[in-house]
Amino acid sequence: MPKIQICVFAYNLENIIDSSLDSIIKNLGIYEAEIIVIANGCKDNTIIKINDFIEKYSFVHCENIEMGDKANAWNVFTHKHYSEGAIAIYVDGDLSFSNNAIKNIIEHHLSEPNYNIITSVPWSRGRNSEYYREKIKNNYEVAGGLYLLSPTFMAALKNKSVRLPIGLIGDDSMIAYLAATNLEQNSDRPEGRIGHCFEAEFQYEPLNLSSITDIKLYLRRRVRYSIRYMQQSSIVPQLKVNGLQCMPSDARILPKKSLPPIRWTSSNLIFDIIAIQKLTTDNPTTKNH
């Protein structure tokens, strides 16, 4: 049996983290895995819920870090907890899975091990899911909720000490770029390096737009999408020209001249304006959820 490690990102998920972990375990099928929860910046009872879960399953572990930042949490797992030769699976802790999703993405890797990364896709019966599934497939995108990195690619990431910038929104987009280039400058070949497992589906709790709390969450999410767009548009061109040496250590503050234009004629207008304001301030926040 292959060695498998699953990194689960958790930020203020007291109401769902135990059911998400249970869903991961149930969808492993015949495989066994070490599950490491990286709780980052939690201010609620997430840690209590995780510790209760750990009491029942000896293969589940948790590291609680103070900084509420997913990119930093990715770095902690990759460079502190990852074991050489393991298949690495990264999962968001607010999702649920069905139909052996985790088992299926593992077996996709075992049948096609040359892919650096294999992505899952949104649930096929979800709203707009077909659009997003086609978009992921045609553009060689990666779904951040569940993806797998091969042992070979993990070794390359560690050997080159690749770390995601603190404050980066969208680890999936950056990892997709790194996987497509195989960490090499001017070597962008996603068709042979990014795989898609359509049998690995994830679901997330839909927003209720009659809820004030969910409306606020939606608006924060739109701002994050604009920040993500700005960051990727600023950082990736520099990586293409100058290589990994130009990967910034912090993406919370970026030179204004490196940012793309505001998308004046789109629904992103107001969110782009807020994003640029956040990315050019002198007081970055460490809470990036």
Side-chain angles (χ1 to χ4, degrees):
M1 296 284 277
K3 183 175 183 179
I4 300 163
Q5 289 182 299
I6 300 176
C7 170
V8 182
F9 300 108
Y11 172 77
N12 289 347
L13 298 178
E14 63 180 3
N15 295 323
I16 195 173
I17 186 61
D18 47 359
S19 61
S20 181
L21 290 171
D22 190 57
S23 180
I24 291 169
I25 293 170
K26 288 179 178 177
N27 279 270
L28 274 166
I30 63 173
Y31 298 100
E32 297 178 352
E34 178 187 20
I35 298 174
I36 300 172
V37 184
I38 307 295
N40 56 108
C42 296
K43 304 300 182 184
D44 61 358
N45 293 318
T46 298
I47 299 300
I48 295 173
K49 292 293 187 72
I50 295 170
N51 287 335
D52 288 344
F53 199 88
I54 288 173
E55 289 184 3
K56 297 184 291 183
Y57 298 98
S58 61
F59 54 86
V60 179
H61 311 284
C62 177
E63 172 153 354
N64 183 21
I65 56 179
E66 189 173 328
M67 181 182 290
D69 185 89
K70 187 180 179 183
N72 180 61
W74 187 96
N75 293 336
V76 168
F77 171 79
T78 302
H79 293 285
K80 180 178 179 180
H81 293 284
Y82 175 73
S83 298
E84 182 180 355
I87 296 169
I89 300 174
Y90 295 79
V91 182
D92 282 347
D94 58 351
L95 303 178
S96 61
F97 309 91
S98 59
N99 301 319
N100 287 320
I102 310 296
K103 169 181 175 288
N104 292 337
I105 202 169
I106 293 168
E107 292 186 340
H108 194 113
H109 162 72
L110 294 176
S111 65
E112 298 186 75
N114 290 331
Y115 286 123
N116 285 335
I117 187 169
I118 297 173
T119 181
S120 63
V121 292
W123 188 45
S124 58
R125 286 170 284 180
R127 187 166 62 109
N128 298 325
S129 61
E130 286 306 317
Y131 164 77
Y132 289 114
R133 288 161 72 95
E134 285 299 310
K135 185 170 178 283
I136 287 170
K137 177 183 177 182
N138 294 335
N139 297 336
Y140 291 97
E141 295 180 358
V142 170
L146 167 62
Y147 60 87
L148 177 153
L149 299 184
S150 73
T152 302
F153 188 58
M154 288 296 293
L157 287 168
K158 289 179 68 68
N159 288 339
K160 294 193 176 185
S161 298
V162 176
R163 284 174 167 77
L164 299 183
I166 300 300
L168 181 74
I169 307 297
D171 60 301
D172 48 338
S173 294
M174 184 59 69
I175 296 300
Y177 169 75
L178 296 174
T181 60
N182 205 31
L183 306 182
E184 297 174 2
Q185 197 174 347
N186 301 318
S187 178
D188 196 349
R189 295 198 298 275
E191 62 279 357
R193 295 167 176 165
I194 299 177
H196 302 87
C197 182
F198 289 94
E199 292 73 37
E201 297 183 337
F202 62 84
Q203 301 177 49
Y204 49 85
E205 189 174 345
L207 296 179
N208 176 8
L209 293 183
S210 65
S211 162
I212 297 298
T213 300
D214 280 7
I215 291 173
K216 290 180 179 178
L217 177 59
Y218 169 77
L219 294 174
R220 288 197 300 271
R221 191 173 288 175
R222 288 295 302 271
V223 172
R224 285 171 55 80
Y225 290 160
S226 281
I227 292 175
R228 171 184 176 138
Y229 163 72
M230 297 286 175
Q231 288 175 329
Q232 301 289 337
S233 298
S234 171
I235 296 170
V236 170
Q238 292 299 316
L239 296 179
K240 288 182 177 180
V241 172
N242 300 305
L244 287 174
Q245 63 183 1
C246 283
M247 180 77 80
S249 60
D250 195 322
R252 293 171 295 179
I253 299 295
L254 294 171
K256 191 168 185 179
K257 63 182 180 180
S258 75
L259 299 176
I262 291 172
R263 293 167 289 185
W264 293 101
T265 60
S266 78
S267 64
N268 299 297
L269 172 59
I270 186 64
F271 305 106
D272 281 1
I273 293 172
I274 295 171
I276 285 184
Q277 194 172 39
K278 285 180 174 291
L279 288 169
T280 55
T281 181
D282 290 331
N283 298 299
T285 177
T286 58
K287 295 182 178 66
N288 288 287
H289 288 268

